[in-house]
Amino acid sequence: RHNLQKEQDAKSRSGGSKNKKRAAASKERQLTRAVVRDDIDTVMKLLEEGADINYTNAAGLSLLDLATERKKFTVVSILTSRGAKHSEGWVDPHARAEEDGDFGDPFEVVGTRARAA
């Protein structure tokens, strides 16, 4: 019986770290949904609870990328004020406009990602 208890204890300890990882991943997924939905209260709550502000989704987009592409300007402001970064490969369309001399509509924000040739 003593060995059985040790095995169960070991399983519960290893499962505990898996559960923590799952909970953290779940928190980032919740944060992603809140960003996309422009749910300011939930974004603030999850950031205060320690959700990863520079989390990237399976497509490689950061929370800041998603907020910018979807024109969630309040969320963009919250994320940038807390140090969020765009994902690697992010290209700001307004930066390209400056080079071309075509500034377009200053209120239109359309994100894009650099693509490998």
Side-chain angles (χ1 to χ4, degrees):
R1 180 177 168 160
H2 184 66
N3 287 336
L4 180 60
Q5 184 63 40
K6 283 184 179 180
E7 286 178 31
Q8 289 174 343
D9 290 344
K11 284 181 183 178
S12 68
R13 279 193 299 271
S14 67
S17 65
K18 288 180 185 177
N19 289 337
K20 286 180 185 177
K21 288 179 185 177
R22 270 191 220 119
S26 175
K27 192 174 287 194
E28 274 71 39
R29 285 192 300 271
Q30 290 173 25
L31 182 56
T32 301
R33 282 192 295 274
V35 165
V36 169
R37 293 178 179 156
D38 207 21
D39 183 349
I40 306 303
D41 293 334
T42 302
V43 168
M44 296 294 289
K45 176 182 171 256
L46 290 167
L47 290 174
E48 288 170 11
E49 290 177 0
D52 181 4
I53 198 165
N54 286 310
Y55 171 76
T56 56
N57 65 14
L61 296 171
S62 72
L63 297 169
L64 187 56
D65 299 341
L66 293 170
T68 304
E69 286 182 349
R70 288 170 170 77
K71 301 179 186 180
K72 308 299 184 186
F73 301 120
T74 303
V75 174
V76 168
S77 178
I78 291 166
L79 294 174
T80 55
S81 72
R82 291 175 175 240
K85 305 287 183 211
H86 283 289
S87 61
E88 192 173 322
W90 175 263
V91 177
D92 181 355
H94 296 291
R96 283 184 290 150
E98 288 177 23
E99 292 171 7
D100 298 341
D102 176 20
F103 294 95
D105 181 354
F107 296 102
E108 181 180 0
V109 177
V110 180
T112 183
R113 293 181 50 74
R115 299 187 191 273

